[in-house]
Amino acid sequence: MKKIITVFLLSFYCTVFSQNKTIASTWTSLVQPVNVESMQNWKFRVSAKIRKESHSNSKCAIWARIDNSDNTVGFFENQAYSKIEVTKEWKNFQIEGNVSPEGKILNIGAFAENNGSFYFDDFKLDVLDPKSLKWVNIPLKNGGFEEGLIAGKDWSEGIGRKVTHVKNFTITASDNKPFSGKKSLLIKADNIIGNMPHGKFADVNGIKMYYETYGEGEPLLMLHGNGQSISAFMNQVDDFSKKYKVIIVDCRERGKSTYDKTKELTFDIQVEDLKQFLDKQNIKKVKILGWSDGGILAILMALKYPDLIDKIACSGANIFPEGLKDEEMKDLKQSLAQLIKENKDHKNDVYIDLYNLDLKYPNLKYEDLKAIQCPSLIMAGDKDVIKTEHTVKIAESIPKGQLAIIPNSTHSVVVEKPELFNSLVIDFFEGK
């Protein structure tokens, strides 16, 4: 993605449960909506007990969000992106907030991300009565999960306004060491890429680069975007691993890969990371699929190491910063200024590096692309953050360039239309 999301905004509207559609994601949520129209301007607190059995980089937490009557969002907090510590032992966690003047629905949720077993119990909601100044308990439906879980009753699973099931996750009522009563909520995830037991690290260019491999055959390297990691290609691995040996890496400063704080994050240094990585894997010829900044890296690899690259497919790539739409550039600059202003104790250093990367680099010219020798598929959504004319010009400037502008899609076409996207890329890779 070009725009790095430093605050994770969950936009659940989970009032209807549907198993008709399954999507791929690294996270899921279970939610219960509570009508708070009679409690506008009141203070509230949500609490629950949580424990987990998972990898260290997995997360679970409670979250709460106020939906206003005009469909805007009032209060929001997801504790997964704060400094809470969930362990194997039950601990109580609490969120406090205010119902907005136009507040209609308070959504109370359980959140889980990446592989592991995540347990929740004893959800409670209290509100502060402004007349008595006393906290009053608002009973939740099945807040201790003693009634089990029935699809669409009391609690619902989902991501986004259309509630869907997230593959690799199962959500059940469990009798494994509940906090109280006989049952608790269990959200369990397995086989989410980027967090697999078979993942490895390679020592390259002064860093440790994390990678995972899937399938057999010709090597295909997948490169994610700026604020992403291996998991960006959750919708691609299954299809492509049927034909290729898929190799997906976390680029430096992202995912599990490390970085050297003394060196500026540039595309050039990442190109050298990838070259050394491929050398260590003894790969002499490789196809590359790159999304966003990953597409930029694919183009640069094809320019610098033409004998190594068989074909490249790039989605949402630009060759100089002005290839971004003007409003996107403006947003990036404003976000960077805010990050710098709020950078206490170096907490935003990595985000600042990532923003600077896209604001300063790359600095190619269209005529530079004439040196690319390999067949190159240049793609973008018709509503991409990359200017359409920029994408077209890139494809036209590469001698063996092909163009695909995918309708009704954005910079996230890889996620929005995976079947179409995968089919286009595989047809291109398989073509003569």
Side-chain angles (χ1 to χ4, degrees):
M1 303 283 185
K2 284 294 174 187
K3 189 176 295 182
I4 304 161
I5 303 174
T6 57
V7 178
F8 197 79
L9 295 179
L10 304 180
S11 54
F12 304 116
Y13 279 79
C14 300
T15 54
V16 181
F17 185 93
S18 172
Q19 291 276 5
N20 294 329
K21 182 180 179 182
T22 298
I23 65 170
S25 175
T26 60
W27 59 273
T28 193
S29 173
L30 197 72
V31 62
Q32 181 170 149
V34 178
N35 190 298
V36 290
E37 288 179 292
S38 64
M39 307 170 197
Q40 292 172 346
N41 296 308
W42 289 26
K43 291 183 178 180
F44 69 87
R45 63 189 184 195
V46 174
S47 64
K49 310 299 188 295
I50 312 176
R51 70 181 182 91
K52 72 174 183 177
E53 298 172 1
S54 64
H55 301 296
S56 58
N57 66 325
S58 298
K59 297 177 181 178
C60 61
I62 57 173
W63 63 272
R65 192 194 69 236
I66 296 289
D67 292 337
N68 296 325
S69 55
D70 62 357
N71 289 325
T72 60
V73 174
F75 174 90
F76 173 80
E77 182 178 340
N78 178 10
Q79 287 194 334
Y81 294 88
S82 59
K83 293 183 178 180
I84 66 168
E85 182 181 0
V86 180
T87 67
K88 292 183 178 180
E89 303 300 324
W90 286 108
K91 292 174 65 176
N92 186 64
F93 296 90
Q94 181 171 288
I95 291 174
E96 293 189 7
N98 291 290
V99 179
S100 48
E102 301 81 22
K104 182 178 181 180
I105 300 294
L106 168 58
N107 297 283
I108 297 169
F111 170 89
E113 182 176 34
N114 291 328
N115 297 317
S117 296
F118 311 96
Y119 295 87
F120 301 80
D121 205 353
D122 197 25
F123 270 86
K124 292 183 178 178
L125 168 63
D126 297 309
V127 295
L128 184 63
D129 188 326
K131 294 182 179 179
S132 66
L133 297 179
K134 292 182 179 180
W135 287 98
V136 179
N137 178 257
I138 305 297
L140 295 175
K141 299 175 182 177
N142 198 20
F145 305 96
E146 296 301 303
E147 301 172 22
L149 279 175
I150 301 175
K153 180 182 178 182
D154 305 334
W155 296 90
S156 300
E157 180 191 8
I159 293 179
R161 293 175 182 267
K162 294 182 179 180
V163 180
T164 55
H165 174 62
V166 183
K167 72 176 183 179
N168 300 114
F169 283 90
T170 57
I171 302 179
T172 59
S174 169
D175 58 6
N176 180 21
K177 302 177 183 178
F179 174 78
S180 62
K182 296 182 179 181
K183 294 183 182 294
S184 64
L185 169 67
L186 169 60
I187 301 180
K188 186 175 182 179
D190 295 297
N191 299 318
I192 295 177
I193 67 171
N195 296 274
M196 297 296 287
H198 70 265
K200 297 179 181 179
F201 287 90
D203 292 318
V204 296
N205 205 19
I207 67 167
K208 290 186 179 296
M209 176 173 279
Y210 179 76
Y211 68 100
E212 295 177 2
T213 59
Y214 298 85
E216 298 178 352
E218 297 177 65
L220 167 60
L221 179 64
M222 292 187 177
L223 301 175
H224 62 74
N226 189 314
Q228 300 174 332
S229 64
I230 283 173
S231 61
F233 292 108
M234 291 188 69
N235 293 281
Q236 281 65 53
V237 167
D238 286 350
D239 286 350
F240 285 87
S241 62
K242 294 174 184 176
K243 293 181 174 290
Y244 308 104
K245 179 181 180 180
V246 173
I247 307 164
I248 38 181
V249 301
D250 282 335
C251 294
R252 65 165 59 205
E253 295 198 41
R254 267 71 52 89
K256 296 182 180 179
S257 292
T258 63
Y259 68 104
D260 183 346
K261 294 181 181 180
T262 67
K263 295 181 180 178
E264 181 187 10
L265 179 65
T266 64
F267 287 107
D268 288 341
I269 198 170
Q270 292 180 80
V271 166
E272 290 312 303
D273 294 344
L274 295 171
K275 176 60 167 61
Q276 290 187 27
F277 171 79
L278 293 171
D279 287 346
K280 287 210 167 187
Q281 304 301 311
N282 197 31
I283 293 175
K284 307 300 182 184
K285 204 78 171 179
V286 68
K287 293 177 171 64
I288 300 180
L289 169 59
W291 177 11
S292 193
D293 283 17
I296 296 171
L297 290 171
I299 289 170
L300 292 171
M301 289 287 289
L303 283 169
K304 189 165 186 179
Y305 300 107
D307 294 338
L308 179 61
I309 310 304
D310 180 32
K311 291 183 178 182
I312 62 172
C314 310
S315 181
N318 56 307
I319 63 168
F320 46 77
E322 292 76 18
L324 286 164
K325 289 180 177 176
D326 294 342
E327 59 269 27
E328 183 71 13
M329 285 286 287
K330 180 180 178 181
D331 287 348
L332 286 175
K333 290 176 180 178
Q334 289 177 343
S335 297
L336 176 60
Q338 189 69 20
L339 284 168
I340 293 172
K341 180 181 178 181
E342 298 175 354
N343 193 24
K344 297 179 180 179
D345 301 321
H346 300 280
K347 68 175 183 178
N348 293 336
D349 282 359
V350 170
Y351 297 117
I352 290 169
D353 287 347
L354 295 175
Y355 274 98
N356 274 321
L357 175 67
D358 278 347
L359 286 169
K360 295 167 63 177
Y361 306 106
N363 294 300
L364 295 173
K365 299 177 181 177
Y366 291 121
E367 50 264 35
D368 296 333
L369 303 182
K370 295 178 181 178
I372 294 179
Q373 301 173 14
C374 66
S376 305
L377 176 60
I378 307 301
M379 298 175 287
D382 62 345
K383 299 176 180 65
D384 210 295
V385 299
I386 306 299
K387 297 173 182 175
T388 300
E389 59 268 28
H390 186 66
T391 301
V392 172
K393 187 66 175 177
I394 291 172
E396 290 177 343
S397 300
I398 298 174
K400 297 180 182 178
Q402 298 182 32
L403 174 68
I405 302 296
I406 301 174
N408 298 316
S409 58
T410 71
H411 196 60
S412 298
V413 62
V414 177
V415 174
E416 295 167 344
K417 297 191 174 182
E419 293 181 0
L420 175 59
F421 180 88
N422 296 353
S423 176
L424 285 171
V425 176
I426 290 172
D427 284 350
F428 168 73
F429 281 156
E430 294 291 291
K432 301 296 184 181

